Amino acid sequence: MTNLTASLAALVFLVFAVHRLVTTRGGRVDPAHRDVAGFALCAGTAMLLNAPAVMDSLDRLLPSPDAELLLTYQLNVAAAAFLVLIALTIDPPAAERKALCRRRRIRAAVLVQAAALGLFLGAGVTTVGASAVAAPGRGWVLASYNVLFAGYSCWCLYVLAQAVIRQTRRTPPGSLRTGLRLATLAAATAAVWALWSLDDAAANLAQGSQGLGEDVVSTTLGMVTAVLATAGATATRWGDRITAPLRRLRARRAHKNLEPLWSALYAELPEIALDPDAAVRRPGLRRAEFALYRRVIEIRDGSMALRAYQQTEALTWAMEALDRADPAAADPEAVLEAAVIAAALENKRAGRTHSGTPDQHRRTPTAHLETTEDEAAWLVRVTRALIHSRVVGDVLDRMRDHVAAGTESSGRA
């Protein structure tokens, strides 16, 4: 099992590293691409060296198994160093400080590599069977070596996670934001993976030795980290292919949910239909997003055409009815909009125009309507209020009484 998980994790990292290097070769390449490829190459090679089958094959090439242990740890430290360089690209400092920060982080990585090498050589590690054993009385030196690796790795992951989280907050929904979230999960998993190595430090202090290679838990954490990191780094390539069907399904559902509001407007204002034939058909998945866009426009056109029939009293009645109702049982913003539309439609049927228009600021939704999806979500709320709200029903009853009273007055005159 250890052999399989270590090999799979290494394969994921190495294939991604090679792909990134091939696709970015030639011309001026963003250093971030090299940093990402460097991380994947170092991490993948380290995991490959830890696979039992590879360790057995390398016994004849390396002077001793403890040399392989040193090489593996140095590769992992190098992979961690690439992470803090990636963080500078994700959330860069001021232009004049970026180069300085990069040099400082590279110097810190070199110092950690040198300190780790010194500690490993100072521990006097030898190989006894399947274990790496420190010289007598130097178990604490080997433990310091493992703690240095875990501490430096966690610091690098913390710096990367901070940069990713800040960038995620500034990124609108989409494949890039999905990739950033996956990168955050990868960093969290990698931190657990790094901390898992502290069991070696405990064994160093207690017994002065540690096992060669990785256990099943460590290689499994490595495989999960590899999958999450690779998925996050390539999300912009595969994200649209996965999210497009979901967007179309959401668009088709929103199109259906807007049917009652659109039908009410279309019955009185058939001219709002941009394509009368398509308007009465349910769109297929491929056309769902365009159909939703057209439906939102048609509803907005209908609302604009009803302005001549809007009545200021309708908004007042709706607010009074909301005050009497349970606030938790209603969507006040959507209810006010639905009540104004329903009252205007009643006036349109009666042929009664009005010069006053209800205060738009008191009906504007607090949510920002920047995209078609935002507009559709808002209008779906209005549609639900139009169908289900008792407040809208109360306003309609009062409007009908008002229309009837006005008709009787004009008849007597």
Side-chain angles (χ1 to χ4, degrees):
M1 184 66 178
T2 303
N3 200 11
L4 177 62
T5 53
S7 299
L8 286 176
L11 182 64
V12 171
F13 273 133
L14 291 174
V15 169
F16 172 70
V18 171
H19 176 266
R20 182 54 63 96
L21 289 173
V22 169
T23 56
T24 58
R25 67 181 177 180
R28 297 184 61 184
V29 180
D30 187 340
H33 293 296
R34 289 196 294 265
D35 294 338
V36 170
F39 160 74
L41 192 61
C42 290
T45 304
M47 296 207 70
L48 188 63
L49 293 176
N50 268 325
V54 177
M55 292 180 67
D56 293 340
S57 301
L58 289 176
D59 284 344
R60 293 169 297 198
L61 300 177
L62 294 176
S64 64
D66 53 272
E68 183 183 351
L69 176 65
L70 174 62
L71 177 60
T72 300
Y73 270 51
Q74 297 297 82
L75 283 169
N76 280 325
V77 170
F82 278 115
L83 294 178
V84 291
L85 299 181
I86 295 169
L88 284 176
T89 304
I90 294 175
D91 188 34
E96 62 273 9
R97 293 186 60 247
K98 186 175 181 179
L100 176 62
C101 289
R102 186 177 179 87
R103 288 195 297 271
R104 285 178 176 175
R105 291 182 181 185
I106 292 174
R107 283 198 294 267
V110 172
L111 288 174
V112 171
Q113 290 275 20
L117 178 60
L119 287 170
F120 187 85
L121 295 176
V125 177
T126 57
T127 303
V128 178
S131 298
V133 181
R138 298 186 189 175
W140 66 272
V141 181
L142 187 56
S144 300
Y145 171 74
N146 284 303
V147 170
L148 175 63
F149 162 71
Y152 179 70
S153 298
C154 287
W155 176 77
C156 292
L157 289 164
Y158 172 74
V159 172
L160 176 66
Q162 274 195 321
V164 171
I165 290 171
R166 284 195 293 266
Q167 185 61 33
T168 303
R169 291 171 180 166
R170 296 193 292 263
T171 303
S175 58
L176 178 57
R177 188 172 185 176
T178 299
L180 291 170
R181 287 177 172 173
L182 288 172
T184 304
L185 288 175
T189 307
V192 177
W193 182 22
L195 291 172
W196 188 258
S197 65
L198 291 178
D199 66 337
D200 289 333
N204 300 153
L205 294 173
Q207 306 161 12
S209 64
Q210 68 182 68
L212 295 172
E214 304 282 356
D215 56 23
V216 176
V217 175
S218 182
T219 54
T220 301
L221 287 169
M223 183 175 65
V224 173
T225 301
V227 172
L228 288 173
T230 305
T234 58
T236 53
R237 295 179 179 271
W238 56 260
D240 287 339
R241 297 180 182 179
I242 293 178
T243 58
L246 297 176
R247 286 200 317 269
R248 290 168 183 168
L249 285 171
R250 288 196 299 268
R252 188 174 182 181
R253 184 170 63 249
H255 186 276
K256 180 181 178 181
N257 290 338
L258 290 175
E259 181 71 27
L261 175 57
W262 180 86
S263 296
L265 292 168
Y266 179 70
E268 297 299 323
L269 301 161
E271 65 272 15
I272 66 172
L274 300 176
D275 184 348
D277 293 333
V280 296
R281 295 196 307 266
R282 180 171 296 182
L285 280 179
R286 288 185 177 274
R287 303 276 297 173
E289 290 179 284
F290 178 73
L292 177 63
Y293 176 68
R294 182 176 56 207
R295 178 142 291 185
V296 168
I297 291 175
E298 291 171 346
I299 290 174
R300 285 303 187 191
D301 287 347
S303 297
M304 291 289 291
L306 285 176
R307 283 196 171 186
Y309 301 94
Q310 290 179 355
Q311 193 169 339
T312 55
E313 289 85 354
L315 182 60
T316 303
W317 297 337
M319 295 181 69
E320 291 173 353
L322 278 173
D323 290 339
R324 294 192 299 268
D326 180 9
D331 180 355
E333 292 178 326
V335 167
L336 293 177
E337 183 69 17
V340 170
I341 291 174
L345 284 170
E346 190 65 30
N347 279 331
K348 175 69 169 61
R349 282 188 285 269
R352 302 175 73 248
T353 59
H354 290 269
S355 57
T357 301
D359 187 357
Q360 183 65 35
H361 294 290
R362 303 173 78 176
R363 296 155 45 213
T364 301
T366 54
H368 295 293
L369 307 181
E370 298 177 351
T371 65
T372 301
E373 290 77 11
D374 296 337
E375 285 272 358
W378 160 245
L379 292 174
V380 166
R381 289 167 55 192
V382 175
T383 304
R384 292 197 187 106
L386 185 70
I387 299 171
H388 302 294
S389 174
R390 292 184 179 179
V391 171
V392 175
D394 290 346
V395 170
L396 269 179
D397 290 340
R398 292 187 67 171
M399 180 57 67
R400 286 168 184 149
D401 293 342
H402 192 73
V403 169
T407 302
E408 291 176 3
S409 298
S410 59
R412 286 195 297 270

